[in-house]
Amino acid sequence: MTSVWPQLEPRLAQVQKPARYIGCEDGASAKAPDPTLVSWLFTYPDTYEIGLPNQGLQILYEIANERPDARADRAYAPWHDMEAVMRAEGIPLFSVEHHTPADEFDVLAFNISAELIYTNVLNCIDLAGIPILSADRTVEHPIVMAGGHSTYNPEPLAEYLDVVVLGDGEEVVGELTEILSQWRTKPDRSRSDLLRQMCKIEGVYVPSLYEPVYADGRLVETRPLFDDVPARIEKRTIADLADWPYPKQQLVPVTEVVHDRLNVEVFRGCTRGCRFCQAGMITRPVRERPADQVRTMVANGLERTGYDEVSLTSLSTADFSSITETVGGIMDDADACGQGNISVSLPSLRVDAFGVGIAAQLQRAKRTGLTFAPEAGTWRMRQIINKLIREEDLYEAVEAAYSQGWKRVKLYFLIGLPSETDEDTLGIAELAKNCVELGKRHNKRASVTVSIGGFVPKAFTPFQWFGQNTAGELQRKVNLLRDATRRMHGVNIKWHDPAATTAEGLVSRGDRRLGPVIEDVWRQGGTFQEWSEHFEMDRWTAAMERAGLAIEDFVYRHRSETEGMAWDHLSAGLHKDFLWDEWQDALAEVGLPDCRWTPCYDCGACTGYGIEHVVASAVPPAGGSQGTGQELAGGGSVPVSLMPAKPKGPKSPHPVLSKQLDTQSGDTQSGGTT
Amino acid sequence: MKLRVRFTEEGKIRFLSHRDVARIMERSFRKLRLPVAYSQGFSPRPKFSFGLALSVAHESDAEYLDVELVTPVDLEDLPNQLTQSLPDGLTVVAVEILEPGSTSLQQAIVCCRWNIEVLGAPLPDVTVAVADLLASSEHLLERTRKGKASIVDVRPAILELEVMGPTDTGVQLKALLATEGTSLRPSELVRVLTENLEEGRVRRTHQFTMVDGKRCEPIEAPDPSTQHQLEPTERNDLSRSLLSDLEERAS
């Protein structure tokens, strides 16, 4: 094995943030290059700062390195300046541990967590010196794999990837290693034999063994080319998170990265059933880590890393059984062993599960940012997306935060949801305004940051049939909100570029015909497309035209029940009729309870795989509204304390008080707490 | 109790920013559960104070850090323990108790000594450039600091400058550059010398304070014979090859 370090080192002083390329993390594998071992290069196709903290990648990296028959390194996408140096000097993509060229590994494995990063995947393959098309690779080249949430519709990248892994990778990484270990020593080995063998592993999809069938310009189905190839690929699911306490040695980078803290995954999966949420649909069922294991992992992790912040990660951390006690326990442990000043951050907080109890525990140390995601501005809209949080729940959560000393709260919303009206859109401004009013009762400088994303329908969600809003329509809604909040003191609004939302929609539900489009955008220099300063819609539009495809057809059009989807030959465990029924219920504004605490409605995720939820608590978290028997009839009503002082109207099922509140002057509240 | 820590920074780790090194040090103190004092307020910060920032890609034999502790600790094995908890390339060579009321590092340091490798010009050209620069009484440099462009006479900041001889890839200089009053950075010195000169390996070998009119290090480097951490480095290799080069030429 060779190292590119001697070529790289003299150039590092010329690029921005050279620490991105030196490795040196605490927890990095010390396994030296060894030609007798199956070697994996886990690659995150974005910058080091974004990719390093990725837990999925770190878990598989550690599992591979623990195996006696394998070793693993990591690589990240070089930033533009470094790419220019690499191309000029003939330096290939390299691992950060040993600076080994990527093409010396057996496997180049990508973690793909977002769709706009696809052009970076092609760029990394190319920088590795590997032919970008799967069909052009030989036994001399690494196997190019991908996993991660976005690969539930891997079809746009089908011609570029040799292998796709659906679902949890903990077990698959070992199974693939075993096959590779035997294959690589065979004298007469062929790539097609290897791929044919791999496709028999549950959760493993080999795109080249399938062909798409089109009729009248639409995809009909994707079918296997051979009899012994599975017609449908099921995702992999680990039954119990307690068996996989990874990462045990979380990587501690020497330079600053995002989420620069200890991260402990407290559960995987989510059954809140938000209809827009791909992560919640594809990761079912819920598998909680035992609370004592969480506490041990946190205590050991803090001890080893020296971090002063720990994040308890999951899709909805406040739902973790006895979350308040767990957070308190972590703080007590830290106090007891003299670490003190440890902050606990809880990403993805549901407002209906966040109360003064948690807020009080969290503020014992440095306050971390608080983000809530009501997602939609009106109760009607939240019923459609099945995020059944009542207006009151939001205000209680926000008030809990402000009363415990937070000055700023961040709120996430989506626009462009199914059947959205302008009243729904403007409801966002109304909620934000009311939150600031509540905050001002505790702190004069209280503010709310409203982050607005354009909704992109994703594979394996009830909204997969929905025609996405056009970029123009999203922009119009952004403008509505911008105008509405302009004079609201303390309300700051941020939004995503609607054009980038269109490009994301294109590849999210695209089929194999999108491959050449992605390749075209990459060849035009369109890398780092999720970085707004590098995104240019013109490249995508031009590429679509050259490919003879219409954006309208892939993105904006509503799809019919019978239409073939690009991912129909794959399975996230969910019955398609469950998804369709959910779509119909959404349009009828009917909600669905959380099946952790209510009877099973058979979405398919548990029954299909013979597994069950692993949830410690038999009762839903305090304050939880969904399936908890709480009265939802007044979900949209605004608490009396936030109503205008005079004329005091009856509780309304719709937050139509906007007009009345608008007549009051901006930043002082007249209603008081009476 | 306040401590002053002297450490070295070399190898791959030299590509870290000053901020990165500061964060690593904070984590290292937490790992060892040293009772670091925290500031009061909304977001408490550990009471660390670092000396003059070292530029990205520069190495150093003499970096300093002052830290305040709530309770006294045993200093005996502390340098070794700290080094163990730091990434390769960061080595704590000495820890001393800091007398109350000592001047902060930022204010106390008056000049630094540097080994600077310059690339892109042969030895005779560099020698001439150095001689010219030393013979001049004024040298104007246009520079931008904190967003402000200005033209400064940097000649007074060059306290000493010597050509040490060739390296494998360039020419080795040794310089003493002021850090108070008009200051000059090694990269600026390279720019000042001649056009088209590039910076090679750069290493800070000393930081000096003024005590009774004499330059001295805040903490003298311990006697190498009692130091177990210092392993042969590229620097030592370099100085050895430099020495043999010079000896050859002298003979």
Side-chain angles (χ1 to χ4, degrees):
Chain A
M1 294 249 181
T2 48
S3 166
V4 301
W5 182 251
Q7 284 168 278
L8 193 65
E9 188 180 22
R11 303 283 158 207
L12 280 180
Q14 299 159 14
V15 300
Q16 287 177 48
K17 302 188 186 175
R20 286 166 166 170
Y21 311 105
I22 62 170
C24 299
E25 305 89 352
D26 184 9
S29 162
K31 265 189 173 175
D34 178 345
T36 65
L37 302 180
V38 173
S39 56
W40 292 76
L41 182 62
F42 289 105
T43 305
Y44 196 91
D46 203 330
T47 61
Y48 180 82
E49 306 90 280
I50 308 280
L52 185 281
N54 184 277
Q55 294 293 290
L57 192 147
Q58 288 198 24
I59 290 169
L60 300 182
Y61 171 72
E62 206 173 313
I63 291 174
N65 273 315
E66 278 181 359
R67 293 183 62 93
D69 56 353
R71 60 173 294 274
D73 275 5
R74 289 162 293 118
Y76 305 89
W79 191 244
H80 298 286
D81 57 352
M82 182 52 130
E83 184 188 341
V85 167
M86 289 164 70
R87 291 200 184 273
E89 303 285 320
I91 302 174
L93 184 74
F94 53 85
S95 75
V96 293
E97 285 87 351
H98 301 95
H99 296 92
T100 308
D103 70 346
E104 294 185 17
F105 288 81
D106 294 311
V107 184
L108 179 59
F110 289 98
N111 177 304
I112 309 183
S113 312
E115 291 80 4
L116 281 178
I117 206 72
Y118 286 174
T119 56
N120 273 28
V121 173
L122 300 194
N123 200 38
C124 286
I125 299 173
D126 185 58
L127 276 169
I130 301 170
I132 60 162
L133 285 169
S134 171
D136 294 341
R137 294 174 200 143
T138 70
V139 282
E140 300 305 319
H141 297 117
I143 301 294
V144 179
M145 291 191 192
H149 286 184
S150 298
T151 58
Y152 273 91
N153 176 21
E155 291 306 283
L157 287 181
E159 315 244 356
Y160 307 89
L161 301 173
D162 301 317
V163 171
V164 174
V165 178
L166 297 179
D168 301 332
E170 279 91 340
E171 295 166 335
V172 183
V173 70
E175 293 160 18
L176 289 171
T177 298
E178 277 161 29
I179 291 181
L180 274 162
S181 185
Q182 288 173 7
W183 174 82
R184 68 204 295 277
T185 55
K186 283 188 191 155
D188 58 340
R189 63 190 189 276
S190 84
R191 221 173 154 87
S192 57
D193 283 353
L194 176 72
L195 295 177
R196 189 73 79 90
Q197 223 181 323
M198 286 181 164
C199 84
K200 308 265 162 56
I201 299 178
E202 198 182 332
V204 173
Y205 169 49
V206 177
S208 59
L209 300 178
Y210 298 78
E211 65 170 0
V213 180
Y214 303 99
D216 303 326
R218 298 263 163 85
L219 178 77
V220 178
E221 62 168 339
T222 309
R223 62 187 178 202
L225 289 166
F226 308 98
D227 289 343
D228 63 334
V229 169
R232 193 174 158 90
I233 299 96
E234 297 287 343
K235 73 163 178 179
R236 280 299 278 273
T237 308
I238 54 167
D240 195 347
L241 213 53
D243 296 338
W244 302 95
Y246 291 91
K248 295 171 185 166
Q249 303 278 318
Q250 185 188 309
L251 296 168
V252 184
V254 287
T255 188
E256 197 164 14
V257 299
V258 301
H259 311 313
D260 200 1
R261 58 195 177 209
L262 182 68
N263 294 295
V264 173
E265 185 184 23
V266 296
F267 67 86
R268 200 173 291 178
C270 179
T271 44
R272 287 290 191 166
C274 303
R275 290 169 177 140
F276 59 87
C277 177
Q278 188 188 35
M281 292 289 160
I282 61 178
T283 59
R284 294 170 172 221
V286 173
R287 288 144 294 153
E288 280 191 3
R289 195 181 291 291
D292 54 352
Q293 191 181 53
V294 170
R295 208 161 147 174
T296 311
M297 285 175 76
V298 171
N300 293 346
L302 291 174
E303 163 105 29
R304 186 185 70 83
T305 61
Y307 274 126
D308 62 350
E309 183 180 347
V310 56
S311 177
L312 303 180
T313 66
S314 76
L315 291 173
S316 179
T317 296
D319 283 348
F320 184 64
S321 299
S322 56
I323 180 69
T324 309
E325 292 82 349
T326 305
V327 173
I330 288 167
M331 301 242 176
D332 292 344
D333 289 347
D335 285 345
C337 63
Q339 284 168 322
N341 290 303
I342 297 295
S343 319
V344 179
S345 61
L346 308 177
S348 311
L349 278 176
R350 273 184 72 92
V351 301
D352 49 8
F354 183 85
V356 176
I358 296 182
Q361 289 293 356
L362 290 181
Q363 63 86 44
R364 281 168 63 181
K366 195 175 64 185
R367 287 177 191 83
T368 52
L370 268 188
T371 302
F372 298 115
E375 313 287 2
T378 59
W379 175 244
R380 185 188 82 86
M381 201 71 245
R382 291 196 295 276
Q383 282 177 304
I384 288 170
I385 63 175
N386 202 42
K387 185 138 191 177
L388 302 180
I389 49 174
R390 302 173 307 169
E391 198 112 348
E392 200 182 320
D393 297 321
L394 173 65
Y395 297 138
E396 274 173 18
V398 167
E399 178 129 39
Y402 286 123
S403 73
Q404 293 298 317
W406 273 268
K407 293 191 184 77
R408 190 161 55 111
V409 168
K410 205 168 168 187
L411 300 178
Y412 273 147
F413 291 97
L414 287 170
I415 54 171
L417 290 162
S419 86
E420 186 176 63
T421 64
D422 285 356
E423 190 186 341
D424 296 315
T425 307
L426 288 167
I428 294 171
E430 206 49 48
L431 283 185
K433 182 180 178 175
N434 287 343
C435 288
V436 172
E437 269 198 60
L438 283 171
K440 291 201 165 154
R441 295 175 189 178
H442 299 277
N443 189 314
K444 266 190 244 166
R445 289 168 54 208
S447 69
V448 167
T449 301
V450 175
S451 179
I452 297 161
F455 172 58
V456 178
K458 295 281 164 84
F460 298 110
T461 66
F463 290 173
Q464 64 182 2
W465 289 275
F466 174 62
Q468 186 174 323
N469 276 193
T470 62
E473 175 66 358
L474 289 176
Q475 189 60 55
R476 190 187 66 80
K477 289 174 178 173
V478 166
N479 294 348
L480 270 181
L481 280 171
R482 206 182 44 198
D483 291 344
T485 55
R486 191 162 281 154
R487 272 183 311 225
M488 291 182 182
H489 289 264
V491 177
N492 308 306
I493 139 167
K494 291 179 181 171
W495 61 90
H496 292 184
D497 176 6
T501 304
T502 296
E504 187 187 333
L506 201 52
V507 281
S508 292
R509 290 185 298 161
D511 54 44
R512 292 193 183 192
R513 290 173 293 175
L514 263 297
V517 174
I518 295 166
E519 186 180 332
D520 188 339
V521 172
W522 165 63
R523 290 197 188 280
Q524 294 175 64
T527 51
F528 290 102
Q529 293 297 282
E530 80 296 4
W531 294 69
S532 54
E533 67 268 40
H534 295 294
F535 177 79
E536 277 177 47
M537 189 60 199
D538 291 350
R539 290 192 179 120
W540 291 89
T541 315
M544 283 296 279
E545 272 170 26
R546 274 194 283 272
L549 300 172
I551 292 178
E552 157 73 24
D553 203 44
F554 285 90
V555 187
Y556 302 144
R557 180 177 61 84
H558 293 301
R559 302 184 186 201
S560 71
E561 186 180 4
T562 52
E563 186 174 341
M565 300 287 191
W567 50 93
D568 276 345
H569 57 305
L570 311 177
S571 168
L574 305 161
H575 301 312
K576 200 172 179 182
D577 57 0
F578 159 74
L579 293 174
W580 178 260
D581 289 347
E582 274 290 280
W583 173 224
Q584 296 308 305
D585 280 356
L587 295 175
E589 300 175 24
V590 176
L592 181 73
D594 188 320
C595 60
R596 262 171 296 189
W597 306 297
T598 58
C600 173
Y601 43 74
D602 193 16
C603 68
C606 294
T607 50
Y609 300 133
I611 47 178
E612 283 178 7
H613 294 300
V614 182
V615 181
S617 172
V619 291
S625 57
Q626 204 158 355
T628 64
Q630 214 167 24
E631 181 57 58
L632 289 178
S637 27
V638 176
V640 178
S641 65
L642 273 169
M643 300 288 276
K646 49 155 190 170
K648 213 170 196 173
K651 275 194 183 183
S652 141
H654 271 249
V656 286
L657 80 170
S658 52
K659 301 284 182 299
Q660 300 162 31
L661 280 179
D662 272 348
T663 58
Q664 296 181 359
S665 63
D667 59 344
T668 50
Q669 35 117 40
S670 54
T673 45
T674 50
Chain B
M1 164 161 112
K2 267 195 175 178
L3 297 181
R4 176 158 290 173
V5 178
R6 175 172 172 165
F7 61 99
T8 64
E9 188 181 331
E10 59 198 345
K12 281 183 184 175
I13 221 83
R14 75 181 189 277
F15 292 108
L16 299 190
S17 69
H18 187 61
R19 217 174 115 85
D20 290 333
V21 173
R23 234 189 350 260
I24 290 171
M25 285 291 175
E26 286 177 21
R27 280 204 301 263
S28 184
F29 273 72
R30 269 198 304 271
K31 276 193 262 185
L32 297 176
R33 297 207 189 145
L34 294 165
V36 175
Y38 274 73
S39 64
Q40 301 294 307
F42 187 73
S43 45
R45 299 287 312 145
K47 290 191 174 175
F48 279 82
S49 138
F50 289 84
L52 299 169
L54 185 69
S55 299
V56 173
H58 291 177
E59 296 177 295
S60 177
D61 295 325
E63 292 306 290
Y64 291 96
L65 147 71
D66 290 350
V67 55
E68 193 176 325
L69 302 182
V70 182
T71 51
V73 294
D74 182 16
L75 302 191
E76 170 83 29
D77 194 35
L78 195 55
N80 189 35
Q81 288 175 18
L82 282 167
T83 301
Q84 294 296 322
S85 71
L86 290 167
D88 283 351
L90 286 174
T91 308
V92 172
V93 292
V95 180
E96 280 183 6
I97 295 175
L98 198 58
E99 295 308 320
S102 303
T103 332
S104 81
L105 283 164
Q106 293 270 10
Q107 290 170 331
I109 304 296
V110 294
C111 58
C112 295
R113 196 180 292 288
W114 299 88
N115 286 339
I116 303 166
E117 185 190 26
V118 291
L119 313 174
L123 181 64
D125 292 9
V126 176
T127 311
V128 169
V130 167
D132 286 353
L133 182 58
L134 290 175
S136 68
S137 57
E138 185 187 70
H139 195 104
L140 297 180
L141 173 72
E142 198 183 331
R143 68 182 176 194
T144 312
R145 280 198 183 171
K146 291 178 182 168
K148 271 190 190 166
S150 58
I151 294 172
V152 193
D153 174 18
V154 295
R155 179 62 188 84
I158 305 167
L159 306 175
E160 293 172 14
L161 182 60
E162 265 182 272
V163 180
M164 305 303 288
T167 66
D168 289 347
T169 43
V171 177
Q172 185 78 355
L173 305 178
K174 189 170 157 185
L176 185 67
L177 303 177
T179 56
E180 65 157 17
T182 300
S183 63
L184 190 66
R185 295 170 184 164
S187 335
E188 291 170 333
L189 176 70
V190 173
R191 264 207 293 147
V192 162
L193 267 178
T194 63
E195 277 179 18
N196 304 326
L197 216 50
E198 273 184 61
E199 186 183 302
R201 284 296 258 259
V202 177
R203 188 177 188 100
R204 175 143 70 192
T205 56
H206 296 278
Q207 298 198 39
F208 292 116
T209 60
M210 275 310 213
V211 178
D212 302 329
K214 274 178 62 185
R215 285 185 201 119
C216 57
E217 277 271 356
I219 301 179
E220 283 306 323
D223 179 359
S225 62
T226 62
Q227 249 179 271
H228 39 103
Q229 308 92 330
L230 275 189
E231 293 186 358
T233 61
E234 290 156 81
R235 161 188 54 118
N236 295 344
D237 294 339
L238 181 67
S239 45
R240 261 197 296 280
S241 70
L242 207 62
L243 275 177
S244 60
D245 259 11
L246 291 173
E247 277 163 15
E248 253 173 51
R249 272 153 11 116
S251 61

